[in-house]
Amino acid sequence: MEFHHTAIDGSLIKYHLSKVVLDKKYYLKYGEDETFTIFCDDDSHQSTHSLHSETVTGVLSLEHLDNKMKFISIGLDHVIQVSFNDGTLSKTLLGHNERILGALELDSGQLVSVSRDGVIIFWDVRKGDEIRRIEVEIESLRDIIFLSNSESIWIKEQDGVGVWLQSGELSVKFKGLNEQIKGRHELHSGNVLIWTENSNPSLWDTEGNRIKDFNYDFSYEEYFEINTTSDLLVRTKGEVILFKENGDMLNKSEQASSLIRLHEGLCALRNKL
């Protein structure tokens, strides 16, 4: 249940000299102007490259096998340059018309970049081609979250959180969900448990409608779904509570010590897996 934020160097706003290790041989410094300088590990050689027309704001070393020994640089000129670690230019990625906020290399090797005007572009790094784009209204980089081991992108929009497929299609929108998403888990029924930054977990149906806001806070590690009944077994504040699939409380540990034993047994089983 891990989410990945799009980012390059923690922030693409500050203008200061930054260092990025590219591999065992090369490292790079950027951030003061439109150039970046590549150094050998023993500082015996360095080369300065000017591939952007405006200040370089971010560098990301690529790790996928198809992108090995390459990195990207992002400038205020709205351009992404793909270079080999020795500084040789490989590809130029053009498509953004506003400031690029960040980029992420996906497990597939594709690159995803996000710009201030809400344009999300998927790139084939090797060919230098745009694969697809999603256009949504966003306010900051934190509004876009990639879920690991998933084909979906969670985007906080003005009227809720939209779940977009990497094909560029909107899958579902959780209407009225206005807080930053921390985690989610889909139940066997198709309903979704969602954790946000400042609220207790909430339960949503497959159409994106809110079913229930829980009065209890619990983490992903503290609940189990009972497969035979789709009930939820939750530990919170020292109690173990059994909820129905729709979020209504069925029982809690002060009334049934068997719930505590069941929860402890499930925890032990999970730890062995």
Side-chain angles (χ1 to χ4, degrees):
M1 195 187 64
E2 180 183 1
F3 284 77
H4 293 297
H5 289 274
T6 55
I8 286 183
D9 194 43
S11 171
L12 298 185
I13 298 176
K14 301 176 182 178
Y15 301 109
H16 56 77
L17 190 63
S18 299
K19 177 180 176 179
V20 174
V21 176
L22 301 177
D23 56 31
K24 293 181 179 180
K25 182 176 182 181
Y26 296 107
Y27 68 91
L28 176 153
K29 291 184 178 181
Y30 74 94
E32 295 183 320
D33 54 27
E34 71 276 6
T35 68
F36 57 80
T37 301
I38 296 178
F39 301 82
C40 284
D41 56 355
D42 58 1
D43 292 330
S44 61
H45 174 74
Q46 68 181 62
S47 59
T48 298
H49 303 263
S50 182
L51 302 181
H52 295 272
S53 60
E54 296 187 47
T55 302
V56 175
T57 56
V59 169
L60 175 67
S61 179
L62 303 178
E63 298 182 0
H64 190 273
L65 184 62
D66 292 342
N67 305 329
K68 270 291 188 183
M69 305 302 291
K70 294 178 182 178
F71 67 92
I72 64 166
S73 58
I74 290 177
L76 289 179
D77 52 4
H78 319 320
V79 175
I80 300 174
Q81 301 284 15
V82 182
S83 303
F84 293 97
N85 286 356
D86 64 0
T88 304
L89 179 64
S90 173
K91 299 292 180 182
T92 297
L93 309 183
L94 300 173
H96 288 293
N97 296 316
E98 295 287 343
R99 178 172 177 164
I100 299 172
L101 298 175
L104 176 73
E105 185 184 30
L106 300 180
D107 291 340
S108 63
Q110 293 180 11
L111 184 75
V112 180
S113 57
V114 183
S115 57
R116 179 169 284 172
D117 55 354
V119 176
I120 304 170
I121 301 181
F122 293 76
W123 304 93
D124 184 316
V125 176
R126 184 174 60 84
K127 295 180 179 179
D129 294 336
E130 177 180 323
I131 300 172
R132 69 186 70 88
R133 64 173 54 201
I134 298 174
E135 297 186 12
V136 295
E137 292 186 17
I138 60 172
E139 295 181 356
S140 73
L141 187 63
R142 282 173 51 82
D143 292 341
I144 303 173
I145 301 173
F146 286 82
L147 179 64
S148 62
N149 302 317
S150 174
E151 295 296 317
S152 62
I153 309 165
W154 290 56
I155 303 176
K156 182 176 175 289
E157 304 175 52
Q158 292 182 347
D159 57 346
V161 173
V163 180
W164 294 78
L165 302 179
Q166 292 188 18
S167 62
E169 300 176 9
L170 179 65
S171 174
V172 64
K173 178 169 288 188
F174 297 100
K175 310 171 192 70
L177 185 57
N178 299 316
E179 295 188 72
Q180 187 67 36
I181 304 295
K182 292 197 306 182
R184 47 75 74 186
H185 184 73
E186 183 173 335
L187 305 177
H188 293 289
S189 62
N191 293 339
V192 181
L193 272 172
I194 294 179
W195 286 262
T196 58
E197 283 192 343
N198 301 309
S199 299
N200 292 336
S202 53
L203 185 65
W204 301 74
D205 67 18
T206 56
E207 301 298 320
N209 300 304
R210 189 190 303 264
I211 298 175
K212 180 182 180 64
D213 292 320
F214 287 93
N215 294 325
Y216 306 88
D217 187 21
F218 55 90
S219 69
Y220 173 76
E221 293 79 12
E222 294 173 321
Y223 95 94
F224 296 91
E225 183 179 11
I226 310 301
N227 294 342
T228 54
T229 60
S230 294
D231 295 337
L232 301 177
L233 188 65
V234 172
R235 176 178 288 277
T236 175
K237 294 181 179 180
E239 291 184 324
V240 176
I241 304 173
L242 184 65
F243 292 98
K244 292 176 62 176
E245 180 187 1
N246 63 5
D248 291 341
M249 188 176 71
L250 286 173
N251 207 340
K252 58 182 179 179
S253 56
E254 65 183 27
Q255 302 165 349
S257 59
S258 59
L259 292 181
I260 298 177
R261 294 193 296 271
L262 176 59
H263 190 276
E264 291 175 346
L266 291 172
C267 285
L269 180 61
R270 174 185 283 172
N271 291 335
K272 291 181 180 180
L273 296 179

